[in-house]
Amino acid sequence: MEYTQLGNSGIRVSRLCLGCMSFGDPASNMHAWTLDPDRSAEIIGHALDLGINFFDTANTYSAGTSEEYLGRAIRNSVARDKVVLASKVYFNEGHLSKEAIAREIDGTLRRLGTDYLDLYIIHRFDATTPIGETMEALDRLVKAGKVRALGASAMYGYQFYNMQLCARDNGFTPFVSMQNHYNPLYREDERELIPICRQMHVALTPYSPLAAGRCARPDWSADTLRSRTDKVAHGKYDSTEDRDRRIAQAIAAVAQRHGATMTQVTLAWHFARGIASPVVGATKEKYLDDAAGAFDVRLTAEDIAAIDEFYVPHAVVGALS
């Protein structure tokens, strides 16, 4: 496993982050394919064995049961200071108001069974709450010791820039990471958001780095419960299948040349572009083993050009209008 620093935070994270949306009670009506507590713990334990120390969840994943399962598995497996726990706030009553942030962090800490969170991520930009109110509320959490560092997720570049300026101008805690939507099939953030993050030394930890498996297998669709029921992934990718399938085919060709898997080549593509730690979900141990093999793949400039050749602009997916 390789490790890197999370922006300017001083927090050291593995260069693979385990996304925990796959863990939780399916009765929560979020996803039908989430894992029960025992299987969740087995996947989390395998991640720890591989050297993964970075875990990402959210207050609304499976109605909070993702946080519960993650917290339970960590308490039973490893010392708290050996892992980096991240969770999110936004898709809740009050979005990013000061009242909502104060309420939601306490719920997250209770469900995780910890008295502090390493990274607290705003899940989206909140157009209904003044930026200053949000940034001051987040800063209070850091000063109170409930949160070590702050991150943001999918939004427009100007929104993120304005939030960072608010932090700078008022002495509030700035964001050190950005969890945006990014992969070989979706690169719209290369226009504004990613350059802003690089300018501000903000670590990139993208979600959906494998495009919900479409950059990880030779067939666009798979006959699995998740593939059949994941309406969010269908909405993100399937409307552009005709043009994006060529990118997936290019990844497959590069993988064949390297004697690697498509997952490994896709993650190597991220690393070649300076991504700090892509968020990878897994419902089976073998998927994590596959992802960890990406560190053995070194893509050439020609490989990257072959993957990038067929990309065309896409409609924005992730940031809220």
Side-chain angles (χ1 to χ4, degrees):
M1 185 54 56
E2 295 183 2
Y3 299 87
T4 189
Q5 183 168 287
L6 197 65
N8 293 326
S9 69
I11 299 174
R12 194 160 179 80
V13 297
S14 51
R15 295 202 67 197
L16 289 176
C17 174
L18 180 61
C20 297
M21 192 168 64
S22 301
F23 311 140
D25 185 354
S28 68
N29 294 322
M30 181 175 186
H31 297 299
W33 39 266
T34 51
L35 303 181
D36 66 24
D38 291 340
R39 276 299 290 149
S40 297
E42 289 170 357
I43 299 294
I44 292 165
H46 193 69
L48 291 167
D49 290 341
L50 289 172
I52 293 173
N53 73 343
F54 190 14
F55 299 86
D56 173 84
T57 185
N59 59 342
T60 54
Y61 287 173
S62 295
T65 57
S66 172
E67 290 179 329
E68 292 175 2
Y69 293 5
L70 173 62
R72 189 181 313 167
I74 292 299
R75 289 194 301 275
N76 293 336
S77 302
V78 65
R80 174 65 183 86
D81 62 356
K82 300 301 182 183
V83 293
V84 176
L85 299 183
S87 194
K88 309 185 196 71
V89 57
Y90 173 82
F91 292 106
N92 43 255
E93 182 182 353
H95 296 313
L96 300 181
S97 68
K98 60 184 179 182
E99 294 85 2
I101 288 172
R103 178 189 69 240
E104 293 301 321
I105 186 61
D106 286 344
T108 284
L109 294 177
R110 182 180 66 254
R111 288 186 292 271
L112 284 169
T114 183
D115 57 3
Y116 72 95
L117 196 64
D118 297 284
L119 181 66
Y120 204 29
I121 301 168
I122 58 169
H123 218 152
R124 294 293 187 271
F125 178 82
D126 181 8
T128 66
T129 301
I131 288 175
E133 178 180 330
T134 295
M135 297 308 295
E136 184 175 13
L138 293 170
D139 182 64
R140 286 199 194 104
L141 301 184
V142 177
K143 288 183 168 58
K146 293 184 177 182
V147 171
R148 294 178 65 196
L150 301 175
S153 189
M155 62 183 64
Y156 292 101
Y158 79 93
Q159 295 169 332
F160 184 65
Y161 187 78
N162 286 340
M163 297 190 89
Q164 290 288 70
L165 287 187
C166 178
R168 184 197 68 183
D169 293 346
N170 292 280
F172 299 147
T173 306
F175 298 112
V176 300
S177 69
M178 167 56 67
Q179 187 181 124
N180 60 315
H181 181 203
Y182 189 59
N183 57 58
L185 305 188
Y186 184 85
R187 296 166 48 195
E188 295 309 298
D189 284 348
E190 291 177 356
R191 301 171 185 269
E192 299 288 346
L193 183 60
I194 289 176
I196 289 170
C197 289
R198 298 201 189 287
Q199 174 186 327
M200 295 183 168
H201 306 290
V202 171
L204 297 169
T205 64
Y207 68 86
S208 198
L210 303 175
R214 288 155 180 80
C215 291
R217 57 179 180 253
D219 298 321
W220 188 264
S221 300
D223 187 21
T224 64
L225 179 60
R226 176 170 185 176
S227 294
R228 293 192 301 270
T229 62
D230 193 342
K231 295 180 181 179
V232 173
H234 290 312
K236 286 179 184 176
Y237 302 115
D238 289 352
S239 64
T240 55
E241 176 183 351
D242 289 344
R243 59 190 180 189
D244 291 344
R245 184 185 287 271
R246 292 178 296 176
I247 300 173
Q249 291 169 344
I251 294 170
V254 171
Q256 185 174 23
R257 288 199 296 272
H258 282 267
T261 67
M262 290 178 65
T263 290
Q264 291 164 358
V265 166
T266 301
L267 292 174
W269 178 92
H270 281 279
F271 298 144
R273 289 180 172 273
I275 298 304
S277 184
V279 180
V280 178
T283 55
K284 296 179 181 178
E285 288 86 348
K286 66 180 182 180
Y287 297 150
L288 289 178
D289 293 335
D290 189 9
F295 298 110
D296 297 325
V297 178
R298 294 292 181 267
L299 300 181
T300 66
E302 291 76 15
D303 292 330
I304 294 172
I307 294 170
D308 292 349
E309 178 182 0
F310 298 111
Y311 188 80
V312 296
H314 286 57
V316 173
V317 178
L320 301 178
S321 297

